[in-house]
Amino acid sequence: MLKRKDRVTLTDDEKTILILGLNELRNSLINEGKYTDAVDELILKLAD
């Protein structure tokens, strides 16, 4: 099965907002003792 890859064009402000929101989610997951791997990957992809 092929994976579907979609692309989204974001402004710098939109990237900043997304990264801040993902970081808050990451902190919540850490506090709950859950894995943050998927969120970490998304943050790294947005930071490029």
Side-chain angles (χ1 to χ4, degrees):
M1 180 177 209
L2 295 175
K3 289 187 177 183
R4 182 177 161 183
K5 290 190 176 186
D6 294 322
R7 295 234 175 221
V8 177
T9 303
L10 301 171
T11 66
D12 288 340
D13 290 338
E14 292 168 332
K15 281 184 186 180
T16 301
I17 292 168
L18 276 174
I19 290 171
L20 290 173
L22 287 169
N23 195 46
E24 286 182 25
L25 173 60
R26 183 178 183 277
N27 290 337
S28 296
L29 291 172
I30 289 170
N31 288 334
E32 295 172 12
K34 296 182 180 179
Y35 293 106
T36 63
D37 298 346
V39 178
D40 293 340
E41 286 182 38
L42 285 172
I43 291 172
L44 289 175
K45 285 183 181 185
L46 285 170
D48 283 343

mmCIF file of all heavy atoms in Angstrom:
data_model
loop_
_atom_site.group_PDB
_atom_site.id
_atom_site.type_symbol
_atom_site.label_atom_id
_atom_site.label_comp_id
_atom_site.label_asym_id
_atom_site.label_seq_id
_atom_site.Cartn_x
_atom_site.Cartn_y
_atom_site.Cartn_z
ATOM 1 N N MET A 1 0.839 -1.176 0.000
ATOM 2 C CA MET A 1 0.000 0.000 0.000
ATOM 3 C C MET A 1 0.889 1.246 0.000
ATOM 4 O O MET A 1 1.824 1.354 0.786
ATOM 5 C CB MET A 1 -0.896 -0.011 1.234
ATOM 6 C CG MET A 1 -1.804 1.148 1.342
ATOM 7 S SD MET A 1 -2.862 0.979 2.792
ATOM 8 C CE MET A 1 -4.238 1.874 2.225
ATOM 9 N N LEU A 2 0.578 2.184 -0.874
ATOM 10 C CA LEU A 2 1.354 3.420 -0.958
ATOM 11 C C LEU A 2 0.889 4.421 0.081
ATOM 12 O O LEU A 2 -0.298 4.543 0.360
ATOM 13 C CB LEU A 2 1.208 4.039 -2.349
ATOM 14 C CG LEU A 2 1.776 3.244 -3.517
ATOM 15 C CD1 LEU A 2 1.443 3.949 -4.829
ATOM 16 C CD2 LEU A 2 3.271 3.090 -3.383
ATOM 17 N N LYS A 3 1.858 5.111 0.646
ATOM 18 C CA LYS A 3 1.516 6.176 1.595
ATOM 19 C C LYS A 3 1.248 7.456 0.822
ATOM 20 O O LYS A 3 1.952 7.784 -0.119
ATOM 21 C CB LYS A 3 2.657 6.409 2.581
ATOM 22 C CG LYS A 3 2.826 5.316 3.572
ATOM 23 C CD LYS A 3 3.862 5.713 4.603
ATOM 24 C CE LYS A 3 3.982 4.642 5.651
ATOM 25 N NZ LYS A 3 4.917 5.022 6.690
ATOM 26 N N ARG A 4 0.234 8.163 1.238
ATOM 27 C CA ARG A 4 -0.125 9.425 0.608
ATOM 28 C C ARG A 4 0.674 10.543 1.260
ATOM 29 O O ARG A 4 0.734 10.647 2.475
ATOM 30 C CB ARG A 4 -1.613 9.657 0.796
ATOM 31 C CG ARG A 4 -2.119 10.889 0.165
ATOM 32 C CD ARG A 4 -3.604 10.978 0.339
ATOM 33 N NE ARG A 4 -4.019 12.343 0.124
ATOM 34 C CZ ARG A 4 -5.238 12.766 0.259
ATOM 35 N NH1 ARG A 4 -6.174 11.947 0.635
ATOM 36 N NH2 ARG A 4 -5.537 14.021 0.040
ATOM 37 N N LYS A 5 1.294 11.374 0.450
ATOM 38 C CA LYS A 5 2.058 12.509 0.965
ATOM 39 C C LYS A 5 1.411 13.796 0.481
ATOM 40 O O LYS A 5 1.281 14.032 -0.710
ATOM 41 C CB LYS A 5 3.503 12.451 0.500
ATOM 42 C CG LYS A 5 4.290 11.339 1.126
ATOM 43 C CD LYS A 5 5.758 11.489 0.812
ATOM 44 C CE LYS A 5 6.535 10.411 1.529
ATOM 45 N NZ LYS A 5 7.962 10.600 1.359
ATOM 46 N N ASP A 6 0.987 14.596 1.425
ATOM 47 C CA ASP A 6 0.407 15.891 1.106
ATOM 48 C C ASP A 6 1.364 16.983 1.540
ATOM 49 O O ASP A 6 2.110 16.827 2.500
ATOM 50 C CB ASP A 6 -0.930 16.082 1.832
ATOM 51 C CG ASP A 6 -1.983 15.106 1.347
ATOM 52 O OD1 ASP A 6 -2.014 14.823 0.140
ATOM 53 O OD2 ASP A 6 -2.773 14.630 2.173
ATOM 54 N N ARG A 7 1.345 18.083 0.834
ATOM 55 C CA ARG A 7 2.187 19.231 1.181
ATOM 56 C C ARG A 7 1.302 20.419 1.487
ATOM 57 O O ARG A 7 0.285 20.641 0.833
ATOM 58 C CB ARG A 7 3.113 19.576 0.026
ATOM 59 C CG ARG A 7 4.105 18.486 -0.277
ATOM 60 C CD ARG A 7 5.469 19.061 -0.247
ATOM 61 N NE ARG A 7 6.431 17.992 -0.410
ATOM 62 C CZ ARG A 7 7.542 17.940 0.275
ATOM 63 N NH1 ARG A 7 7.818 18.896 1.121
ATOM 64 N NH2 ARG A 7 8.384 16.967 0.099
ATOM 65 N N VAL A 8 1.720 21.185 2.478
ATOM 66 C CA VAL A 8 1.011 22.395 2.862
ATOM 67 C C VAL A 8 2.015 23.537 2.888
ATOM 68 O O VAL A 8 3.116 23.387 3.413
ATOM 69 C CB VAL A 8 0.372 22.239 4.259
ATOM 70 C CG1 VAL A 8 -0.306 23.516 4.701
ATOM 71 C CG2 VAL A 8 -0.614 21.085 4.261
ATOM 72 N N THR A 9 1.647 24.658 2.308
ATOM 73 C CA THR A 9 2.509 25.837 2.344
ATOM 74 C C THR A 9 2.065 26.716 3.512
ATOM 75 O O THR A 9 0.894 27.068 3.620
ATOM 76 C CB THR A 9 2.400 26.624 1.029
ATOM 77 O OG1 THR A 9 2.728 25.753 -0.052
ATOM 78 C CG2 THR A 9 3.346 27.803 1.029
ATOM 79 N N LEU A 10 3.024 27.028 4.389
ATOM 80 C CA LEU A 10 2.734 27.818 5.580
ATOM 81 C C LEU A 10 3.594 29.075 5.604
ATOM 82 O O LEU A 10 4.739 29.059 5.165
ATOM 83 C CB LEU A 10 3.021 27.008 6.845
ATOM 84 C CG LEU A 10 2.269 25.700 7.025
ATOM 85 C CD1 LEU A 10 2.842 24.926 8.201
ATOM 86 C CD2 LEU A 10 0.795 25.956 7.231
ATOM 87 N N THR A 11 3.046 30.126 6.171
ATOM 88 C CA THR A 11 3.841 31.332 6.388
ATOM 89 C C THR A 11 4.722 31.102 7.614
ATOM 90 O O THR A 11 4.515 30.155 8.367
ATOM 91 C CB THR A 11 2.943 32.560 6.622
ATOM 92 O OG1 THR A 11 2.233 32.372 7.849
ATOM 93 C CG2 THR A 11 1.977 32.774 5.471
ATOM 94 N N ASP A 12 5.681 31.982 7.831
ATOM 95 C CA ASP A 12 6.545 31.866 9.005
ATOM 96 C C ASP A 12 5.737 31.973 10.298
ATOM 97 O O ASP A 12 5.999 31.254 11.261
ATOM 98 C CB ASP A 12 7.637 32.940 8.982
ATOM 99 C CG ASP A 12 8.691 32.656 7.925
ATOM 100 O OD1 ASP A 12 8.808 31.495 7.478
ATOM 101 O OD2 ASP A 12 9.402 33.599 7.541
ATOM 102 N N ASP A 13 4.743 32.847 10.305
ATOM 103 C CA ASP A 13 3.900 32.997 11.495
ATOM 104 C C ASP A 13 3.105 31.719 11.773
ATOM 105 O O ASP A 13 2.969 31.299 12.920
ATOM 106 C CB ASP A 13 2.942 34.172 11.337
ATOM 107 C CG ASP A 13 3.652 35.514 11.380
ATOM 108 O OD1 ASP A 13 4.776 35.581 11.929
ATOM 109 O OD2 ASP A 13 3.085 36.496 10.869
ATOM 110 N N GLU A 14 2.581 31.110 10.728
ATOM 111 C CA GLU A 14 1.826 29.863 10.890
ATOM 112 C C GLU A 14 2.713 28.739 11.403
ATOM 113 O O GLU A 14 2.305 27.955 12.266
ATOM 114 C CB GLU A 14 1.169 29.464 9.571
ATOM 115 C CG GLU A 14 0.057 30.394 9.142
ATOM 116 C CD GLU A 14 -0.408 30.182 7.719
ATOM 117 O OE1 GLU A 14 0.394 29.717 6.869
ATOM 118 O OE2 GLU A 14 -1.588 30.489 7.448
ATOM 119 N N LYS A 15 3.955 28.668 10.892
ATOM 120 C CA LYS A 15 4.899 27.656 11.381
ATOM 121 C C LYS A 15 5.184 27.858 12.864
ATOM 122 O O LYS A 15 5.235 26.903 13.632
ATOM 123 C CB LYS A 15 6.216 27.734 10.608
ATOM 124 C CG LYS A 15 6.186 27.099 9.260
ATOM 125 C CD LYS A 15 7.566 27.157 8.627
ATOM 126 C CE LYS A 15 7.552 26.665 7.222
ATOM 127 N NZ LYS A 15 8.883 26.724 6.590
ATOM 128 N N THR A 16 5.385 29.107 13.254
ATOM 129 C CA THR A 16 5.662 29.420 14.652
ATOM 130 C C THR A 16 4.519 28.971 15.546
ATOM 131 O O THR A 16 4.730 28.340 16.588
ATOM 132 C CB THR A 16 5.923 30.923 14.830
ATOM 133 O OG1 THR A 16 7.038 31.295 14.021
ATOM 134 C CG2 THR A 16 6.197 31.271 16.275
ATOM 135 N N ILE A 17 3.290 29.276 15.134
ATOM 136 C CA ILE A 17 2.119 28.890 15.915
ATOM 137 C C ILE A 17 2.018 27.371 16.029
ATOM 138 O O ILE A 17 1.743 26.833 17.107
ATOM 139 C CB ILE A 17 0.838 29.501 15.290
ATOM 140 C CG1 ILE A 17 0.850 31.014 15.458
ATOM 141 C CG2 ILE A 17 -0.413 28.888 15.909
ATOM 142 C CD1 ILE A 17 -0.193 31.742 14.635
ATOM 143 N N LEU A 18 2.239 26.674 14.920
ATOM 144 C CA LEU A 18 2.183 25.212 14.948
ATOM 145 C C LEU A 18 3.256 24.622 15.860
ATOM 146 O O LEU A 18 2.986 23.698 16.639
ATOM 147 C CB LEU A 18 2.350 24.647 13.539
ATOM 148 C CG LEU A 18 1.102 24.571 12.698
ATOM 149 C CD1 LEU A 18 1.440 24.136 11.274
ATOM 150 C CD2 LEU A 18 0.102 23.615 13.302
ATOM 151 N N ILE A 19 4.466 25.135 15.769
ATOM 152 C CA ILE A 19 5.554 24.618 16.602
ATOM 153 C C ILE A 19 5.264 24.860 18.083
ATOM 154 O O ILE A 19 5.478 23.976 18.917
ATOM 155 C CB ILE A 19 6.908 25.231 16.176
ATOM 156 C CG1 ILE A 19 7.310 24.685 14.805
ATOM 157 C CG2 ILE A 19 7.996 24.930 17.205
ATOM 158 C CD1 ILE A 19 8.515 25.367 14.177
ATOM 159 N N LEU A 20 4.752 26.032 18.414
ATOM 160 C CA LEU A 20 4.408 26.324 19.815
ATOM 161 C C LEU A 20 3.320 25.387 20.319
ATOM 162 O O LEU A 20 3.391 24.864 21.438
ATOM 163 C CB LEU A 20 3.977 27.779 19.970
ATOM 164 C CG LEU A 20 5.075 28.827 19.805
ATOM 165 C CD1 LEU A 20 4.477 30.227 19.812
ATOM 166 C CD2 LEU A 20 6.132 28.683 20.885
ATOM 167 N N GLY A 21 2.307 25.144 19.499
ATOM 168 C CA GLY A 21 1.234 24.234 19.880
ATOM 169 C C GLY A 21 1.724 22.809 20.032
ATOM 170 O O GLY A 21 1.347 22.098 20.988
ATOM 171 N N LEU A 22 2.573 22.369 19.109
ATOM 172 C CA LEU A 22 3.132 21.014 19.207
ATOM 173 C C LEU A 22 4.032 20.874 20.428
ATOM 174 O O LEU A 22 4.062 19.823 21.068
ATOM 175 C CB LEU A 22 3.913 20.672 17.928
ATOM 176 C CG LEU A 22 3.069 20.395 16.694
ATOM 177 C CD1 LEU A 22 3.952 20.334 15.453
ATOM 178 C CD2 LEU A 22 2.273 19.109 16.862
ATOM 179 N N ASN A 23 4.751 21.934 20.766
ATOM 180 C CA ASN A 23 5.604 21.894 21.946
ATOM 181 C C ASN A 23 4.768 21.770 23.222
ATOM 182 O O ASN A 23 5.134 21.042 24.142
ATOM 183 C CB ASN A 23 6.512 23.117 22.008
ATOM 184 C CG ASN A 23 7.628 22.933 22.985
ATOM 185 O OD1 ASN A 23 8.272 21.892 23.002
ATOM 186 N ND2 ASN A 23 7.861 23.940 23.809
ATOM 187 N N GLU A 24 3.619 22.470 23.261
ATOM 188 C CA GLU A 24 2.720 22.331 24.408
ATOM 189 C C GLU A 24 2.184 20.905 24.505
ATOM 190 O O GLU A 24 2.106 20.329 25.596
ATOM 191 C CB GLU A 24 1.561 23.315 24.300
ATOM 192 C CG GLU A 24 1.948 24.746 24.603
ATOM 193 C CD GLU A 24 0.760 25.694 24.545
ATOM 194 O OE1 GLU A 24 -0.383 25.239 24.741
ATOM 195 O OE2 GLU A 24 0.987 26.889 24.314
ATOM 196 N N LEU A 25 1.820 20.330 23.355
ATOM 197 C CA LEU A 25 1.361 18.940 23.334
ATOM 198 C C LEU A 25 2.468 18.014 23.814
ATOM 199 O O LEU A 25 2.224 17.100 24.607
ATOM 200 C CB LEU A 25 0.922 18.559 21.923
ATOM 201 C CG LEU A 25 0.567 17.086 21.693
ATOM 202 C CD1 LEU A 25 -0.596 16.663 22.596
ATOM 203 C CD2 LEU A 25 0.241 16.839 20.234
ATOM 204 N N ARG A 26 3.694 18.253 23.348
ATOM 205 C CA ARG A 26 4.838 17.437 23.753
ATOM 206 C C ARG A 26 5.041 17.501 25.269
ATOM 207 O O ARG A 26 5.257 16.477 25.918
ATOM 208 C CB ARG A 26 6.095 17.924 23.030
ATOM 209 C CG ARG A 26 7.314 17.101 23.312
ATOM 210 C CD ARG A 26 8.507 17.631 22.498
ATOM 211 N NE ARG A 26 9.649 16.793 22.710
ATOM 212 C CZ ARG A 26 10.488 16.894 23.745
ATOM 213 N NH1 ARG A 26 10.293 17.845 24.641
ATOM 214 N NH2 ARG A 26 11.501 16.079 23.873
ATOM 215 N N ASN A 27 4.957 18.703 25.831
ATOM 216 C CA ASN A 27 5.123 18.851 27.277
ATOM 217 C C ASN A 27 4.033 18.106 28.034
ATOM 218 O O ASN A 27 4.300 17.478 29.064
ATOM 219 C CB ASN A 27 5.122 20.331 27.662
ATOM 220 C CG ASN A 27 6.373 21.042 27.201
ATOM 221 O OD1 ASN A 27 7.405 20.427 26.987
ATOM 222 N ND2 ASN A 27 6.272 22.349 27.025
ATOM 223 N N SER A 28 2.805 18.147 27.536
ATOM 224 C CA SER A 28 1.705 17.416 28.170
ATOM 225 C C SER A 28 1.954 15.913 28.134
ATOM 226 O O SER A 28 1.717 15.210 29.122
ATOM 227 C CB SER A 28 0.378 17.716 27.474
ATOM 228 O OG SER A 28 0.036 19.060 27.618
ATOM 229 N N LEU A 29 2.423 15.429 26.988
ATOM 230 C CA LEU A 29 2.710 14.000 26.860
ATOM 231 C C LEU A 29 3.826 13.577 27.815
ATOM 232 O O LEU A 29 3.760 12.508 28.426
ATOM 233 C CB LEU A 29 3.083 13.660 25.416
ATOM 234 C CG LEU A 29 1.959 13.768 24.388
ATOM 235 C CD1 LEU A 29 2.518 13.605 22.973
ATOM 236 C CD2 LEU A 29 0.873 12.745 24.661
ATOM 237 N N ILE A 30 4.836 14.410 27.940
ATOM 238 C CA ILE A 30 5.933 14.108 28.864
ATOM 239 C C ILE A 30 5.412 14.041 30.291
ATOM 240 O O ILE A 30 5.760 13.112 31.044
ATOM 241 C CB ILE A 30 7.061 15.162 28.735
ATOM 242 C CG1 ILE A 30 7.789 14.994 27.400
ATOM 243 C CG2 ILE A 30 8.041 15.058 29.900
ATOM 244 C CD1 ILE A 30 8.751 16.113 27.076
ATOM 245 N N ASN A 31 4.555 14.979 30.679
ATOM 246 C CA ASN A 31 3.991 14.987 32.030
ATOM 247 C C ASN A 31 3.146 13.751 32.303
ATOM 248 O O ASN A 31 3.046 13.303 33.445
ATOM 249 C CB ASN A 31 3.159 16.250 32.266
ATOM 250 C CG ASN A 31 4.016 17.475 32.409
ATOM 251 O OD1 ASN A 31 5.178 17.397 32.800
ATOM 252 N ND2 ASN A 31 3.455 18.622 32.076
ATOM 253 N N GLU A 32 2.519 13.206 31.245
ATOM 254 C CA GLU A 32 1.698 12.009 31.393
ATOM 255 C C GLU A 32 2.512 10.730 31.252
ATOM 256 O O GLU A 32 1.971 9.638 31.382
ATOM 257 C CB GLU A 32 0.579 12.019 30.343
ATOM 258 C CG GLU A 32 -0.413 13.145 30.520
ATOM 259 C CD GLU A 32 -1.391 13.237 29.365
ATOM 260 O OE1 GLU A 32 -1.455 12.303 28.534
ATOM 261 O OE2 GLU A 32 -2.103 14.254 29.282
ATOM 262 N N GLY A 33 3.793 10.862 30.963
ATOM 263 C CA GLY A 33 4.662 9.700 30.812
ATOM 264 C C GLY A 33 4.456 8.955 29.507
ATOM 265 O O GLY A 33 4.755 7.764 29.414
ATOM 266 N N LYS A 34 3.969 9.646 28.485
ATOM 267 C CA LYS A 34 3.701 9.022 27.189
ATOM 268 C C LYS A 34 4.810 9.352 26.201
ATOM 269 O O LYS A 34 5.597 10.269 26.396
ATOM 270 C CB LYS A 34 2.359 9.495 26.644
ATOM 271 C CG LYS A 34 1.188 9.077 27.514
ATOM 272 C CD LYS A 34 -0.118 9.531 26.916
ATOM 273 C CE LYS A 34 -1.271 9.093 27.802
ATOM 274 N NZ LYS A 34 -2.564 9.541 27.252
ATOM 275 N N TYR A 35 4.856 8.577 25.115
ATOM 276 C CA TYR A 35 5.860 8.783 24.082
ATOM 277 C C TYR A 35 5.600 10.066 23.298
ATOM 278 O O TYR A 35 4.463 10.422 23.047
ATOM 279 C CB TYR A 35 5.880 7.599 23.113
ATOM 280 C CG TYR A 35 6.352 6.321 23.743
ATOM 281 C CD1 TYR A 35 5.465 5.302 24.039
ATOM 282 C CD2 TYR A 35 7.696 6.144 24.047
ATOM 283 C CE1 TYR A 35 5.903 4.121 24.628
ATOM 284 C CE2 TYR A 35 8.153 4.978 24.643
ATOM 285 C CZ TYR A 35 7.242 3.967 24.922
ATOM 286 O OH TYR A 35 7.681 2.820 25.498
ATOM 287 N N THR A 36 6.690 10.723 22.900
ATOM 288 C CA THR A 36 6.579 11.975 22.150
ATOM 289 C C THR A 36 7.181 11.864 20.748
ATOM 290 O O THR A 36 7.348 12.875 20.073
ATOM 291 C CB THR A 36 7.290 13.116 22.909
ATOM 292 O OG1 THR A 36 8.683 12.803 23.013
ATOM 293 C CG2 THR A 36 6.695 13.336 24.279
ATOM 294 N N ASP A 37 7.483 10.659 20.317
ATOM 295 C CA ASP A 37 8.195 10.460 19.049
ATOM 296 C C ASP A 37 7.512 11.128 17.857
ATOM 297 O O ASP A 37 8.167 11.818 17.069
ATOM 298 C CB ASP A 37 8.363 8.967 18.753
ATOM 299 C CG ASP A 37 9.188 8.248 19.814
ATOM 300 O OD1 ASP A 37 9.835 8.936 20.627
ATOM 301 O OD2 ASP A 37 9.174 7.007 19.825
ATOM 302 N N ALA A 38 6.213 10.927 17.705
ATOM 303 C CA ALA A 38 5.506 11.486 16.551
ATOM 304 C C ALA A 38 5.514 13.014 16.584
ATOM 305 O O ALA A 38 5.728 13.665 15.555
ATOM 306 C CB ALA A 38 4.076 10.963 16.515
ATOM 307 N N VAL A 39 5.307 13.579 17.769
ATOM 308 C CA VAL A 39 5.310 15.036 17.906
ATOM 309 C C VAL A 39 6.708 15.581 17.643
ATOM 310 O O VAL A 39 6.868 16.603 16.965
ATOM 311 C CB VAL A 39 4.805 15.455 19.310
ATOM 312 C CG1 VAL A 39 4.860 16.960 19.479
ATOM 313 C CG2 VAL A 39 3.389 14.947 19.536
ATOM 314 N N ASP A 40 7.726 14.894 18.141
ATOM 315 C CA ASP A 40 9.106 15.313 17.904
ATOM 316 C C ASP A 40 9.410 15.366 16.404
ATOM 317 O O ASP A 40 10.039 16.316 15.924
ATOM 318 C CB ASP A 40 10.088 14.359 18.586
ATOM 319 C CG ASP A 40 10.014 14.408 20.090
ATOM 320 O OD1 ASP A 40 9.507 15.409 20.642
ATOM 321 O OD2 ASP A 40 10.455 13.434 20.735
ATOM 322 N N GLU A 41 8.971 14.347 15.667
ATOM 323 C CA GLU A 41 9.205 14.312 14.220
ATOM 324 C C GLU A 41 8.529 15.489 13.525
ATOM 325 O O GLU A 41 9.109 16.105 12.627
ATOM 326 C CB GLU A 41 8.690 12.999 13.634
ATOM 327 C CG GLU A 41 9.565 11.806 13.958
ATOM 328 C CD GLU A 41 9.040 10.533 13.305
ATOM 329 O OE1 GLU A 41 8.556 10.617 12.156
ATOM 330 O OE2 GLU A 41 9.107 9.483 13.947
ATOM 331 N N LEU A 42 7.304 15.781 13.918
ATOM 332 C CA LEU A 42 6.598 16.907 13.310
ATOM 333 C C LEU A 42 7.290 18.234 13.586
ATOM 334 O O LEU A 42 7.418 19.084 12.688
ATOM 335 C CB LEU A 42 5.156 16.971 13.800
ATOM 336 C CG LEU A 42 4.202 15.939 13.224
ATOM 337 C CD1 LEU A 42 2.867 16.000 13.957
ATOM 338 C CD2 LEU A 42 4.016 16.167 11.748
ATOM 339 N N ILE A 43 7.756 18.412 14.812
ATOM 340 C CA ILE A 43 8.456 19.654 15.153
ATOM 341 C C ILE A 43 9.708 19.791 14.316
ATOM 342 O O ILE A 43 9.996 20.871 13.778
ATOM 343 C CB ILE A 43 8.790 19.693 16.674
ATOM 344 C CG1 ILE A 43 7.505 19.849 17.496
ATOM 345 C CG2 ILE A 43 9.763 20.830 16.977
ATOM 346 C CD1 ILE A 43 7.696 19.695 18.986
ATOM 347 N N LEU A 44 10.456 18.710 14.147
ATOM 348 C CA LEU A 44 11.676 18.760 13.331
ATOM 349 C C LEU A 44 11.362 19.060 11.874
ATOM 350 O O LEU A 44 12.087 19.830 11.225
ATOM 351 C CB LEU A 44 12.436 17.441 13.439
ATOM 352 C CG LEU A 44 13.110 17.192 14.792
ATOM 353 C CD1 LEU A 44 13.722 15.791 14.825
ATOM 354 C CD2 LEU A 44 14.181 18.234 15.048
ATOM 355 N N LYS A 45 10.303 18.480 11.336
ATOM 356 C CA LYS A 45 9.939 18.741 9.937
ATOM 357 C C LYS A 45 9.533 20.198 9.741
ATOM 358 O O LYS A 45 9.865 20.809 8.718
ATOM 359 C CB LYS A 45 8.805 17.817 9.508
ATOM 360 C CG LYS A 45 9.267 16.402 9.273
ATOM 361 C CD LYS A 45 8.139 15.528 8.788
ATOM 362 C CE LYS A 45 8.649 14.109 8.580
ATOM 363 N NZ LYS A 45 7.619 13.238 7.999
ATOM 364 N N LEU A 46 8.817 20.761 10.699
ATOM 365 C CA LEU A 46 8.401 22.156 10.578
ATOM 366 C C LEU A 46 9.578 23.112 10.745
ATOM 367 O O LEU A 46 9.573 24.201 10.191
ATOM 368 C CB LEU A 46 7.326 22.480 11.616
ATOM 369 C CG LEU A 46 5.939 21.934 11.316
ATOM 370 C CD1 LEU A 46 5.042 22.105 12.527
ATOM 371 C CD2 LEU A 46 5.341 22.636 10.113
ATOM 372 N N ALA A 47 10.567 22.726 11.519
ATOM 373 C CA ALA A 47 11.710 23.601 11.794
ATOM 374 C C ALA A 47 12.642 23.736 10.593
ATOM 375 O O ALA A 47 13.423 24.679 10.531
ATOM 376 C CB ALA A 47 12.478 23.090 13.007
ATOM 377 N N ASP A 48 12.555 22.821 9.646
ATOM 378 C CA ASP A 48 13.428 22.886 8.452
ATOM 379 C C ASP A 48 13.155 24.087 7.610
ATOM 380 O O ASP A 48 12.130 24.584 7.429
ATOM 381 C CB ASP A 48 13.283 21.639 7.604
ATOM 382 C CG ASP A 48 14.029 20.461 8.212
ATOM 383 O OD1 ASP A 48 14.882 20.682 9.061
ATOM 384 O OD2 ASP A 48 13.725 19.325 7.801
#
